[in-house]
Amino acid sequence: MNRGIVTALSAIGIAQGLKVFTHQRKTGNWSWKPIFQTGGMPSSHSAGVSSLASYIAANKGTTSIDTALAVVFGAIVMYDAQGIRRHTGEIAELVNDIDEDIEVISDDFPSLRHEKQEEELKELLGHQPAEVAGGAVLGILLGVISAGLEN
């Protein structure tokens, strides 16, 4: 199998597994749920793309077109994770709060009809910059280690 793919997928899996420990440290509660959720520390998206880019750079050199492609597309993924996806999660949080507020108000005003959402919108979609940076550092380390073990 392609070593670059294995490296990137392994970095994603390791980052998702580490979320159990960072979640416990942040909340004091042990839970397996973070393994299957988006968002959180470290970013598995960042870990995956940075491990692939560093693996390619270690094998093909920093001047290769392969490295350039991996770095540029990796930067786009990481920018998206901490930008658009994070803001979407913040908007979802506001919508969920508004829905709760309208439900409370509608109790006081029976003429105001309100149907509660069956499920809240998912709020943890993107990453804070530190989560993206943490994933990137993890990915770079794993990419370099993978290239070193191969050579």
Side-chain angles (χ1 to χ4, degrees):
M1 180 165 215
N2 183 310
R3 181 72 177 234
I5 293 172
V6 171
T7 299
L9 292 177
S10 296
I12 291 168
I14 291 168
Q16 284 299 116
L18 287 173
K19 290 180 183 184
V20 171
F21 299 101
T22 58
H23 173 78
Q24 191 281 330
R25 187 166 189 197
K26 184 177 180 180
T27 66
N29 298 321
W30 287 102
S31 173
W32 293 104
K33 288 182 182 179
I35 290 177
F36 307 104
Q37 294 174 337
T38 59
M41 174 66 120
S43 165
S44 59
H45 289 86
S46 296
V49 296
S50 61
S51 68
L52 180 61
S54 61
Y55 170 79
I56 293 170
N59 280 313
K60 300 242 179 176
T62 57
T63 59
S64 78
I65 191 69
D66 298 343
T67 301
L69 286 167
V71 168
V72 169
F73 285 112
I76 291 168
V77 168
M78 290 189 285
Y79 176 79
D80 180 60
Q82 72 179 352
I84 296 166
R85 288 180 53 236
R86 179 171 54 96
H87 291 297
T88 302
E90 290 171 357
I91 291 168
E93 185 175 0
L94 290 171
V95 169
N96 289 336
D97 290 345
I98 290 170
D99 187 58
E100 289 174 15
D101 292 343
I102 291 173
E103 184 176 13
V104 170
I105 292 169
S106 68
D107 288 343
D108 295 333
F109 298 94
S111 62
L112 180 64
R113 294 190 60 211
H114 173 67
E115 289 186 32
K116 176 80 174 144
Q117 299 179 137
E118 288 184 28
E119 289 184 35
E120 286 194 342
L121 296 174
K122 191 172 180 183
E123 296 175 5
L124 191 59
L125 295 173
H127 294 280
Q128 297 297 323
E131 296 168 342
V132 171
V137 169
L138 173 65
I140 290 167
L141 290 172
L142 294 173
V144 170
I145 289 169
S146 179
L149 291 174
E150 184 179 50
N151 299 327

